Amino acid sequence: METETVTSADEGGLGLPSRRLRSRVTVRSIAERWSLVLAFLAAFVFFSVARPHTFLTWDNARAILDDSSVACVLAVGVTAILVIGEFDLSVGFVAGFAGAAAVSGMANHGLGAEAAVAVALGAGALAGLANGVAVAYVRIPSFVATLAIGSIAAAFELAITKTAIFEGLSPRYLEIATTDVASIPLRAIVAAATALVFLVVLRAAVFGRHASAVGDNPAAAHLAGVPVARVRLVAFVLTGLTAGVAAVLVTSSAGQYYPNLGTGYLLPAYAAAFLGLSLGGGLRFNVLGSYLGVLLLGMVSTGLTMMNQPSWIAALVQGIVLLVAVAGIAVRRRGAVGR
């Protein structure tokens, strides 16, 4: 855009470049490229001024990182699905199923902490595999397939727990939520590590290039030799694994199992992933943007709580943020096509 020659009426129609118009377009492009970062900084400054003695503390920062860890893991997982152009609406139900399997294994079968974590990851991966087979090989639309698998996962969750609330978890399992490493909560470190792994997989590995190609144009990717079905299958399995990780983080923090423990994280995960689209100029889903989006939503929720706002305000803000983010992306894409 900067290389175009624009004739300005103020220049007398002499065909001279209009520096003022060019500058305005450049400012707009910068604002679009870094809108997520600007929103993050604006929210930080607002709450810092509104509640300086409580918001600007290390304890509050630790709390935000810890509270955002579950949504972060799930947001990273759904980012992998969005990259391939699909949706996974089952992640909340799968997290509940994985959490129920892990906790009931400890309570009823004497499993240790390591085995319980393995059970949660295995349950999540199994559900992801079912989603992948349904979408990639049976060719069921992802909306329908993942809703169906989510319903099945919820049914298995109820069958395992029979609506009971299990307690008496392994102390080592509970330490996942109570351990700090260099004064940083372990749950936050797990979330950041998950984001880092997915960042490498989607940006530096062959799978990431294949996933982007599938998301851009599956037919062209197939003609280019990309194993489209396999890429879709792997993406859904990876997302299922993140649901298993999220289940461990939730249940270890709660110290017990409770029904529907994962369903409340679906909207924040997708809101953060769509917020991440506004990071960078490529209009592509990316792990770093999703991670920063989760922290933005967590910071807003915490700040509103400190300002004594009712809890439903946070959910309202998340919904509005998702609508605004999607609307802004649609406007940018129409503008790009128009240019």
Side-chain angles (χ1 to χ4, degrees):
M1 179 61 75
E2 289 79 358
T3 60
E4 291 184 4
T5 299
V6 181
T7 302
S8 170
D10 294 338
E11 298 287 346
L14 299 177
L16 298 176
S18 171
R19 291 190 179 89
R20 183 173 58 186
L21 179 58
R22 182 182 297 178
S23 176
R24 183 166 64 247
V25 173
T26 302
V27 170
R28 175 182 174 183
S29 64
I30 292 175
E32 288 177 345
R33 185 178 182 87
W34 301 106
S35 56
L36 177 57
V37 176
L38 294 174
F40 187 92
L41 293 175
F44 179 81
V45 171
F46 174 79
F47 291 119
S48 297
V49 173
R51 292 290 186 273
H53 301 296
T54 53
F55 187 81
L56 286 176
T57 63
W58 174 240
D59 287 340
N60 182 52
R62 291 178 68 259
I64 292 175
L65 289 172
D66 188 43
D67 294 341
S68 301
S69 59
V70 177
C72 171
V73 170
L74 290 178
V76 167
V78 301
T79 299
I81 293 299
L82 292 169
V83 165
I84 66 170
E86 304 289 352
F87 279 87
D88 187 348
L89 303 181
S90 69
V91 288
F93 299 106
V94 173
F97 164 56
V103 173
S104 65
M106 284 184 286
N108 296 331
H109 305 287
L111 295 182
E114 294 81 1
V117 171
V119 167
L121 296 180
L126 180 62
L129 179 64
N131 279 324
V133 170
V135 174
Y137 293 98
V138 186
R139 304 292 180 87
I140 301 175
S142 57
F143 275 105
V144 178
T146 57
L147 277 176
I149 298 299
S151 178
I152 294 172
F156 279 125
E157 176 186 353
L158 290 176
I160 292 172
T161 64
K162 299 179 177 61
T163 69
I165 297 178
F166 295 106
E167 297 180 348
L169 276 63
S170 166
R172 293 192 63 185
Y173 191 83
L174 298 178
E175 287 175 359
I176 296 173
T178 59
T179 300
D180 289 351
V181 178
S183 75
I184 300 175
L186 179 60
R187 295 206 312 165
I189 294 175
V190 170
T194 303
L196 180 60
V197 169
F198 272 68
L199 179 64
V200 172
V201 168
L202 294 177
R203 290 292 296 274
V206 173
F207 171 79
R209 295 193 290 272
H210 286 175
S212 296
V214 171
D216 289 339
N217 190 325
H222 178 73
L223 292 175
V226 175
V228 175
R230 189 191 312 163
V231 168
R232 286 173 171 160
L233 178 67
V234 172
F236 276 103
V237 171
L238 289 175
T239 303
L241 281 171
T242 62
V245 174
V248 173
L249 298 182
V250 173
T251 51
S252 64
S253 177
Q256 61 180 16
Y257 162 82
Y258 56 90
N260 303 317
L261 63 85
T263 53
Y265 292 100
L266 182 64
L267 176 59
Y270 273 99
F274 275 93
L275 276 173
L277 270 177
S278 59
L279 182 65
L283 287 174
R284 289 183 177 276
F285 293 102
N286 61 92
V287 171
L288 185 58
S290 298
Y291 182 76
L292 188 59
V294 170
L295 294 182
L296 172 60
L297 294 175
M299 181 169 56
V300 170
S301 177
T302 300
L304 291 173
T305 301
M306 288 182 174
M307 296 179 70
N308 298 320
Q309 297 298 319
S311 58
W312 60 267
I313 292 292
L316 176 64
V317 169
Q318 289 175 356
I320 292 174
V321 164
L322 181 56
L323 283 175
V324 171
V326 174
I329 292 162
V331 170
R332 287 177 62 187
R333 280 181 170 161
R334 284 200 298 270
V337 171
R339 290 193 292 269

